[in-house]
Amino acid sequence: MRFMMIVKATTDSEAGVMPSQELLEAMMRYNEELAKAGVLLAADGLHASSNAIRISYPEPGGKPKITDGPFTEAKEIIAGYTLIEVKSREEAIEWAMRMPDPHGNGQGQIELRQVIDAHELTQNPETLTVLLNQQERLKQS
């Protein structure tokens, strides 16, 4: 089971305030624990939404619309993520609970979401085989 720990933005992260040295070191130790346990797939912070681009689809079948950042609701913006692969939802929660406050000032918020598995997307055996083969090719590249 794969889970994404989504770190929500704050006004500081949206202002481009980088983490303190202490917080950076705590996050590095946490990521090292995840790696040693063999559950870490990826972990990154994201730049503020002032440099982001949002692409929306306002009409079915219509042309996509581009909106440049910044975006207004910091609490709805993603500041970073950690992707893990674990055996259960409970294990994912345990790892998420161990993450240091991602902003270091009591404003941190993490949303934990399970990644959809290919088997959940389709019951068609041919499509499932294509999806699984594609996932394997992407992992190897």
Side-chain angles (χ1 to χ4, degrees):
M1 304 174 92
R2 291 175 297 154
F3 284 84
M4 180 174 278
M5 291 182 256
I6 301 166
V7 175
K8 298 294 189 153
T10 64
T11 51
D12 279 353
S13 68
E14 278 297 287
V17 176
M18 290 295 140
S20 68
Q21 185 65 30
E22 180 182 32
L23 178 56
L24 188 57
E25 289 171 3
M27 290 303 290
M28 289 170 37
R29 284 191 302 273
Y30 174 71
N31 288 341
E32 188 64 33
E33 287 179 45
L34 291 168
K36 284 181 182 177
V39 300
L40 181 64
L41 298 176
D44 290 294
L46 302 173
H47 283 279
S49 72
S50 58
N51 293 317
I53 298 165
R54 184 173 285 163
I55 300 169
S56 58
Y57 299 85
E59 297 176 25
K63 185 177 178 181
K65 177 184 172 191
I66 294 175
T67 306
D68 291 321
F71 306 120
T72 54
E73 291 292 323
K75 65 183 180 181
E76 300 298 326
I77 297 171
I78 298 171
Y81 68 94
T82 301
L83 184 62
I84 58 175
E85 187 163 10
V86 293
K87 292 180 177 73
S88 68
R89 181 176 189 270
E90 292 73 27
E91 184 181 358
I93 292 169
E94 287 175 22
W95 280 112
M97 295 292 291
R98 292 172 64 181
M99 181 185 276
D101 175 355
H103 297 289
N105 57 14
Q107 294 182 26
Q109 185 178 26
I110 302 166
E111 183 176 323
L112 186 62
R113 305 267 306 267
Q114 186 173 351
V115 176
I116 296 173
D117 183 76
H119 294 87
E120 296 175 278
L121 289 173
T122 183
Q123 298 302 310
N124 181 310
E126 292 172 11
T127 304
L128 182 58
T129 299
V130 171
L131 279 171
L132 293 172
N133 287 337
Q134 182 184 48
Q135 285 179 347
E136 281 303 312
R137 281 195 315 274
L138 292 173
K139 283 181 185 177
Q140 294 172 2
S141 49

